[in-house]
């Protein structure tokens, strides 16, 4: 499924932000327009930065003019030429004309402001604002020309700010925005990032990375459910992928971890961007506009369950500011920290050295110059002296929930840094980072070593078993045999965290022994809400529920498990074949929480039916039809039903041999086959509603409500209708089979008796075999056929083990 589908459903106007690198030239503008088309969100709010390096060009123009450089007019003309070329290569002639005229007016405005010699901060901000205005106009006109209702919106119309650094008047900004949105329903609005206005209507800038901040702020003001920031990278990696080739894209990052990474100078995330996310209901996603299907990072509100470092980050060019504090050391340091934080200059890291009356604070170069200037002016009132700026440092950090409490990771970090020219190490008070400042060195070998030491450790996975019946016990024995191999080949550490049966369950954070669960199971009665609460702090990197039951009640708790990021592996058919509304909610929850649900054991036991369907779909095949004999019991019955003995005697024989369910009606009523058909259709990409499957019940209504013993006594009432069906089959020259069918074109699905030709693939099977026929574009005249035993405790347990193996490879 393409990553460009609308994932907001019917929720309120989603926000998408495209940065300057995403709008660098005409090809980029068309690429972004294509993304917006594929999003299929007709009311989206699109926030844009200035095209390419336009803002830098405007700043350079201001610098040249202020210094009296004669190159200023040439720079303005170059800027004009670039924007003209961008418009002309992006739009057709008719669409370009009004934008070119507006551009000419803007260039004259810029020239007039410069010539007026009144370049105060407001005039400078006005000139720098034009880049976003040009992007907004151009993208809106491009979208409109492609048939999408779109309009440009200058953020100065609604975004009201004051003070320095700017503070947003959220109440008034929300009121103004609400009125604008009410007049542009079902219309895409392309909004200028980075700029706002004060009460006098003067242009104000939102500062460093202001466009990203604009996007999440807009989402907060509009009460949007989703905000996506598109750039030239797909999100946050476990390390800089340009420096560490083994770096992995993190599909999920908790908001506290994201905030800590931003605080430490990440070029992908910025602290101010995350403020509106924390204060609203929006979900934030990071994606790549150049390769939209390369994955993404979703910022989650709930804290990460797994403890420990997830990211190795660095700032190559770090500057230290140092000052001496002669009196009231701790009190003064706390006051200075608060003073800097209020000015959005919280240090990346700091070191208190009270024995020397010395305080060291680390910044990026850009922040250091601003902080040094402010502190120099504040020195008389700040109770410190001897302010110095020291260059030539780098910063390296581990980021992740509770990393400072992970003894093994801390040991690796300290050991690696002890071999470097270390200035100091600071564990964050919130436990989210471990930061080191070193004298500047080539960082790549250190980053690679730290990354390898962190991510080569085995991933701790807890398993929770539901159902200690025949299949559950067979899997426990298989798990005992295969555990060491799984751990070695997949670099995981497995623990049987819990086991449940109808009497209750056992949970043990240190892990249960297989023999204990098999032979000495002593459950305690546990009610579901209590047990679910125990999962909140399970201590594993991942948790997997293994459902060996046939319990509909257990399936009702699947959404709660998914919400707690518990992966599901099931032999229980009631989940994959649940009624439509429940199934769609479950499916949405799985996608939102990035939880996996594997159920290959539900159909065909160990036969690779669902695997074959997945491979066909991945190869580009479109499934057209699925059919077959899905019940081993019914396969056995109709292979033997040749008229030599009544059908009831075959049913009784199969029941006595344990080939049927304890109540044979569970096989004969077709409901189990229906569930399998629904599961396969859904795995093939179709949301088949179980209520729309036609099922022919072999059990007459007169026998349906009886208890099992009375039903067995009256089995012979099955004989006449089955004998008539057999006679009809012979008259037509075929054989009688119990067939399930799904036709993708019509959407029709059915389960019941059919007459099939003697040479048909369904006619000649070994008694008890299942057979599955899958038709696609290239497997139409000669369908792909999978045949073999479709039941049995060992093969079903093996299918569950195969699903576990598959899931572990993806964690």
């Amino acid at each position: 499924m393409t990553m460009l589908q609308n994932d907001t459903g019917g929720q309120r106007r989603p926000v998408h932000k495209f940065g300057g690198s995403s709008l660098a030239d005409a090809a980029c503008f068309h690429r972004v327009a294509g993304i917006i088309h594929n999003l299929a969100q007709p009311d989206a709010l699109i926030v844009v930065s200035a095209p390419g390096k336009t803002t830098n060009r405007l700043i350079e123009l201001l610098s040249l003019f202020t210094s009296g450089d004669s190159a200023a007019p040439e720079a303005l003309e170059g800027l004009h030429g670039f924007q003209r070329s961008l418009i002309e290569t992006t739009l057709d002639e008719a669409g370009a004309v009004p934008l070119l005229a507006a551009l000419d007016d803007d260039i004259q405005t810029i020239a007039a402001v410069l010539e007026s010699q009144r370049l105060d901060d407001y005039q400078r901000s006005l000139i720098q604002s034009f880049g976003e205005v040009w992007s907004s106009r151009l993208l809106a006109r491009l979208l409109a020309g492609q048939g999408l209702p779109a309009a440009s919106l200058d953020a100065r119309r609604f975004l009201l700010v004051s003070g320095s650094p700017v503070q947003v008047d959220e109440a008034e900004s929300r009121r103004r925005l609400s009125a604008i949105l009410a007049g542009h329903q079902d219309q895409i609005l392309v909004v200028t990032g980075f700029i706002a206005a004060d009460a006098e209507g003067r242009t104000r800038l939102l500062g460093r990375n202001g466009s990203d901040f604009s996007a999440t702020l807009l989402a907060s003001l509009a009460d949007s459910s989703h905000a996506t920031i598109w750039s030239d990278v797909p999100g946050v990696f476990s390390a800089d992928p340009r420096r560490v080739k083994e770096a992995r894209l993190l599909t999920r990052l908790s908001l506290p971890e994201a905030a800590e990474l931003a605080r430490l100078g990440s070029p992908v995330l910025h602290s101010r961007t995350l403020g509106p996310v924390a204060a609203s209901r929006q979900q934030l996603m990071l994606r790549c506009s150049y390769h939209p299907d390369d994955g993404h990072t979703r910022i989650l509100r709930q804290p990460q369950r797994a403890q420990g470092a997830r990211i190795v980050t660095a700032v190559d060019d770090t500057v230290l500011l140092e000052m001496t504090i002669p009196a009231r050391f701790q009190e003064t340091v706390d006051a200075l920290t608060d003073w800097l934080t209020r000015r959005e200059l919280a240090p990346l890291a700091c070191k208190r050295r009270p024995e020397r009356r010395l305080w060291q604070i680390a910044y990026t170069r850009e922040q250091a110059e601003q902080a040094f200037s402010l502190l120099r002016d504040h020195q008389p009132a700040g109770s410190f002296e001897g302010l110095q700026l020291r260059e030539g440092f780098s910063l390296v950090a581990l980021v992740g929930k509770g990393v400072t409490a992970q003894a093994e990771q801390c040991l690796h970090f300290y050991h690696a840094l002890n071999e470097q020219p270390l200035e100091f190490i600071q564990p964050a008070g919130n436990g989210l980072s471990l930061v080191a400042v070193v004298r500047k060195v080539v960082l790549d070998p250190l980053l690679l070593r730290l990354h390898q030491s962190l991510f080569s450790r085995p991933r701790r996975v807890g398993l929770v078993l539901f159902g200690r019946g025949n299949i559950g016990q067979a899997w426990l024995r298989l798990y005992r045999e295969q555990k060491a191999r799984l751990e070695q080949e997949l670099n995981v550490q497995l623990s049987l965290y819990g086991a449940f049966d109808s009497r209750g369950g056992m949970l043990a954070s240190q892990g249960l022994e297989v023999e204990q669960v098999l032979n000495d199971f002593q459950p305690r009665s546990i009610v579901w809400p209590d047990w679910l609460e125990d999962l909140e702090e399970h201590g594993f990197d991942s948790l997997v529920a293994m459902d060996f039951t046939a319990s509909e009640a257990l399936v009702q708790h699947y959404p709660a498990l998914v919400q707690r990021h518990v992966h599901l592996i099931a032999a229980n058919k009631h989940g994959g074949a649940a009624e439509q509304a429940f199934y769609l909610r479950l499916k949405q929850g799985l996608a939102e929480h990035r939880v996996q649900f594997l159920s290959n054991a539900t159909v065909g036991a160990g036969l690779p039916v669902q695997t074959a369907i997945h491979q066909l779909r991945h190869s580009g095949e479109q499934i057209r039809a699925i059919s077959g004999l899905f019940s081993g019991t019914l396969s056995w019955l109709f292979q033997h039903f040749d008229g030599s003995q009544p059908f009831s005697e075959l049913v009784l024989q199969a029941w006595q041999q344990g080939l049927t369910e304890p109540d044979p009606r569970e096989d004969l009523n077709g409901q189990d086959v229906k569930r399998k058909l629904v599961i396969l259709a859904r795995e093939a990409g179709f949301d088949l509603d179980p209520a729309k499957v036609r099922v022919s019940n072999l059990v007459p209504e007169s026998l349906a409500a009886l208890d099992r013993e009375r039903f067995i006594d009256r089995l012979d009432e099955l004989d006449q209708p089955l004998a008539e069906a057999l006679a009809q089959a012979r008259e037509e020259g075929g054989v009688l089979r119990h067939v399930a069918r799904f036709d993708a074109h019509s959407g029709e699905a059915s389960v019941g008796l059919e007459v099939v030709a003697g040479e048909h693939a369904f006619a000649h099977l070994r008694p008890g075999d299942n057979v599955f026929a899958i038709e696609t574009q290239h497997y139409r005249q000669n369908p792909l056929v999978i045949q073999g035993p479709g039941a049995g405790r060992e093969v079903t347990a093996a299918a569950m083990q195969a699903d576990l193996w598959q899931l572990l490879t993806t964690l």
Side-chain angles (χ1 to χ4, degrees):
M1 179 172 60
T2 177
M3 293 299 298
L4 292 178
Q5 289 187 351
N6 181 358
D7 59 1
T8 66
Q11 300 183 15
R12 298 185 64 183
R13 307 187 76 143
V15 173
H16 296 268
K17 183 263 176 177
F18 294 93
S21 61
S22 297
L23 300 167
D25 53 32
C28 289
F29 269 86
H30 280 276
R31 184 184 301 114
V32 167
I35 290 172
I36 295 170
H37 271 279
N38 289 332
L39 288 169
Q41 296 169 347
D43 60 350
L45 304 176
I46 310 297
V47 177
V48 291
S49 298
K53 301 295 184 181
T54 298
T55 299
N56 289 344
R57 289 188 174 194
L58 288 165
I59 294 172
E60 181 184 4
L61 171 66
L62 287 167
S63 177
L64 291 171
F65 186 84
T66 302
S67 64
D69 196 310
S70 60
E74 183 180 342
L76 181 58
E77 183 58 33
L79 182 64
H80 189 189
F82 172 76
Q83 295 300 325
R84 285 188 64 90
S85 175
L86 182 59
I87 293 170
E88 291 170 346
T89 54
T90 302
L91 302 175
D92 59 25
E93 184 176 353
V97 168
L99 263 66
L100 291 172
L103 174 64
D104 291 343
D105 291 342
D106 294 338
I107 296 298
Q108 290 180 19
T109 299
I110 294 173
V113 170
L114 293 176
E115 291 169 1
S116 71
Q117 303 292 327
R118 291 186 296 103
L119 277 184
D120 57 19
D121 288 343
Y122 301 113
Q123 299 290 1
R124 289 176 176 273
S125 296
L126 172 64
I127 289 177
Q128 290 183 56
S129 72
F130 279 103
E132 277 67 25
V133 173
W134 293 334
S135 273
S136 174
R137 285 180 191 158
L138 181 53
L139 183 57
R141 181 57 59 98
L142 176 61
L143 293 173
Q146 295 176 346
L148 286 177
S152 173
L153 173 60
D154 192 321
R156 288 171 290 196
R157 290 180 54 194
F158 66 87
L159 193 52
L160 180 65
V161 299
S162 61
S164 181
V166 296
Q167 300 296 315
V168 178
D169 184 338
E170 293 194 19
E172 178 60 17
S173 298
R174 183 175 285 108
R175 186 192 67 77
R176 294 181 181 183
L177 178 63
S178 179
I180 293 171
L181 296 183
H184 293 82
Q185 296 182 12
D186 296 324
Q187 186 176 30
I188 294 172
L189 293 179
V190 185
V191 187
T192 56
F194 182 54
I195 61 178
D198 61 16
E200 286 73 40
R202 296 173 298 197
T203 299
R204 301 293 304 276
L205 304 181
L206 298 180
R208 179 175 176 265
N209 307 119
S211 292
D212 285 0
F213 175 49
S214 295
T216 56
L217 177 60
L218 176 61
S220 176
L221 296 175
D223 195 26
S224 299
S225 56
H226 289 67
T228 304
I229 294 177
W230 299 80
S231 65
D232 54 1
V233 294
V236 178
F237 285 79
S238 56
D240 186 339
R242 297 168 299 182
R243 311 175 80 162
V244 179
K245 293 183 179 179
E246 294 80 9
R248 307 182 300 204
L249 178 67
L250 303 179
T251 57
R252 298 191 304 273
L253 194 66
S254 72
L255 188 56
E257 289 173 327
E260 187 69 7
L261 185 63
R263 189 188 68 78
L264 292 172
S266 167
V268 179
L269 283 167
H270 312 288
S271 296
R272 296 176 68 221
T273 303
L274 297 173
V277 178
S280 65
R281 72 187 187 110
Q282 65 183 287
Q283 294 184 27
L284 178 62
M285 187 183 297
L286 311 178
R287 296 177 67 175
C288 177
S289 63
Y290 287 84
H291 304 285
D293 292 324
D294 276 3
H296 63 269
T297 297
R298 189 186 296 272
I299 309 299
L300 303 177
R301 298 183 176 283
Q302 59 268 38
Q304 180 72 21
R305 295 180 180 278
Q307 299 276 342
R310 306 183 67 211
I311 304 165
V312 181
T313 188
V315 178
D316 287 86
D317 192 9
T318 302
V319 177
L320 281 183
L321 303 187
E322 295 182 348
M323 64 200 75
T324 301
I325 301 176
R328 302 197 313 274
F329 183 85
Q330 300 293 348
E331 179 183 339
T332 302
V333 167
D334 290 342
L336 287 171
T337 302
D338 181 62
W339 185 83
L340 288 166
T341 301
R342 291 199 307 272
R343 286 155 179 79
E344 298 182 353
L345 285 170
L348 304 181
C350 61
K351 181 66 176 179
R352 303 185 186 206
R353 301 185 188 271
E355 73 284 355
R356 295 167 51 190
R357 321 304 295 175
L358 181 69
W359 189 40
Q360 297 174 294
I361 52 179
Y363 286 105
T364 63
R365 175 168 294 278
E366 178 185 356
Q367 291 176 306
E369 294 173 356
Q370 183 181 0
F372 183 79
S373 176
L374 287 173
L375 283 168
R376 184 179 54 202
D377 295 340
H378 184 63
Q379 188 164 326
S383 301
F384 64 91
E385 57 191 34
L387 179 65
Q388 295 184 50
L389 184 149
R390 295 175 60 198
E391 300 179 330
F393 294 91
S394 298
L395 179 147
V396 178
L398 305 183
V399 177
K401 177 185 175 184
V403 60
T404 57
Q406 298 296 307
E408 181 182 353
Q409 293 185 348
C410 289
L411 181 62
H412 280 299
F413 189 73
Y414 280 93
H415 182 69
L417 268 299
N418 276 336
E419 300 173 6
Q420 305 294 331
L422 179 65
E423 186 72 18
F424 64 81
I425 292 179
Q426 180 201 14
N430 58 15
L432 286 167
S433 67
L434 192 59
V435 183
V437 175
V438 298
R439 293 179 186 90
K440 185 173 286 189
V441 295
V442 177
L443 290 179
D444 292 19
L446 176 60
L447 297 176
L448 180 60
R449 177 179 175 183
L450 287 171
H451 191 272
Q452 289 175 339
S453 68
L454 291 175
F455 297 100
S456 62
R457 75 169 178 83
R459 187 171 183 85
R460 299 181 298 273
V461 180
L463 306 177
V464 183
L465 175 144
F466 293 93
R468 293 178 55 257
N470 290 334
I471 299 174
Q473 292 185 33
W475 176 79
L476 282 168
R477 291 188 287 269
L478 183 60
Y479 167 73
R480 180 177 55 194
E481 296 171 7
Q482 296 290 318
K483 180 175 182 288
R485 180 186 170 203
L486 275 170
E487 291 181 328
Q488 180 179 357
E489 295 193 19
L490 301 181
N491 193 32
V492 295
Q493 180 181 328
L494 298 174
S495 295
L496 188 57
Y497 174 49
F500 290 80
D501 65 9
S502 58
R503 297 173 295 164
M506 297 174 66
L507 288 173
S509 57
Q510 73 278 11
L512 299 169
E513 295 295 331
V514 171
E515 291 300 328
Q516 180 183 9
V517 179
L518 283 172
N519 303 315
D520 189 26
F521 190 64
Q522 298 177 4
R524 65 182 179 91
S525 178
I526 300 177
V527 295
W528 265 92
D530 293 343
W531 183 80
L532 287 172
E533 290 177 6
D534 290 340
L535 289 185
E536 296 295 340
E537 297 295 335
H538 55 71
F540 296 98
D541 295 325
S542 300
L543 203 61
V544 182
M546 311 277 295
D547 183 0
F548 293 92
T549 74
S551 168
E552 292 186 66
L554 177 57
V555 167
Q556 295 303 310
H557 295 289
Y558 277 11
L561 291 169
V562 169
Q563 190 174 9
R564 287 162 173 79
H565 299 280
V566 180
H567 300 286
L568 302 171
I569 297 177
N572 187 342
K573 302 179 188 67
H574 291 289
E579 59 92 17
Q580 189 76 345
F582 178 89
Y583 175 76
L584 292 178
R585 288 196 303 272
L586 175 62
K587 187 176 175 182
Q588 181 180 359
L590 291 166
E592 288 180 353
H593 296 287
R594 305 291 292 177
V595 169
Q596 298 188 56
F597 175 28
L598 285 74
S599 60
N600 284 296
T602 57
V603 182
L607 296 177
V609 186
Q610 294 182 48
T611 302
I613 289 175
H614 295 160
Q615 290 179 342
L616 287 169
R617 294 187 67 199
H618 294 162
S619 70
E621 291 277 8
Q622 178 68 41
I623 307 296
R624 294 187 172 183
I626 301 171
S627 61
L629 312 184
F630 294 1
S631 167
T633 301
L634 293 170
S635 173
W636 186 93
L637 287 171
F638 286 101
Q639 286 288 334
H640 285 89
F641 185 43
D642 57 6
S644 60
Q645 55 183 322
F647 187 75
S648 59
E649 291 184 10
L650 288 172
V651 174
L652 185 61
Q653 183 181 341
W655 179 62
Q656 292 170 341
Q657 293 179 13
L659 300 178
T660 71
E661 294 293 327
D663 188 333
R665 285 172 293 189
E666 293 298 315
D667 298 295
L668 298 173
N669 63 16
Q671 292 302 310
D672 186 63
V673 173
K674 181 184 84 168
R675 286 190 281 270
K676 293 178 182 179
L677 182 62
V678 170
I679 290 170
L680 291 185
R682 287 171 168 173
E683 291 291 334
F686 305 96
D687 285 334
L688 177 59
D689 187 343
K692 295 183 179 179
V693 181
R694 300 191 312 274
V695 179
S696 175
N697 191 344
L698 300 183
V699 180
E701 289 187 12
S702 59
L703 303 182
L706 302 177
D707 59 39
R708 186 180 66 183
E709 287 70 21
R710 293 182 63 196
F711 167 70
I712 295 297
D713 290 340
R714 295 173 58 179
L715 268 177
D716 56 1
E717 294 181 28
L718 300 175
D719 291 340
Q720 182 177 347
L722 269 299
E724 293 174 354
L726 178 62
Q728 181 65 33
R730 287 179 169 172
E731 183 177 334
E732 296 178 15
V735 294
L736 197 60
R737 296 290 181 263
H738 191 272
V739 179
R741 293 190 183 276
F742 169 70
D743 184 280
H745 178 70
S746 65
E748 294 183 355
S750 63
V751 171
L753 290 180
E754 288 187 14
V755 177
V756 300
E759 65 275 11
H760 196 279
F762 298 168
H764 300 288
L765 306 174
R766 285 175 297 182
D769 269 7
N770 283 182
V771 60
F772 302 88
I774 305 169
E775 296 180 26
T776 70
Q777 180 180 359
H778 297 108
Y779 290 92
R780 188 161 183 81
Q781 300 302 323
N782 188 19
L784 175 64
V785 175
I786 300 172
Q787 178 182 337
R793 66 187 70 175
E794 283 77 17
V795 290
T796 304
M800 293 285 283
Q801 182 74 357
D803 277 354
L804 176 61
W805 184 289
Q806 180 183 340
L807 188 148
L808 292 175
T809 62
T810 65
L811 294 181

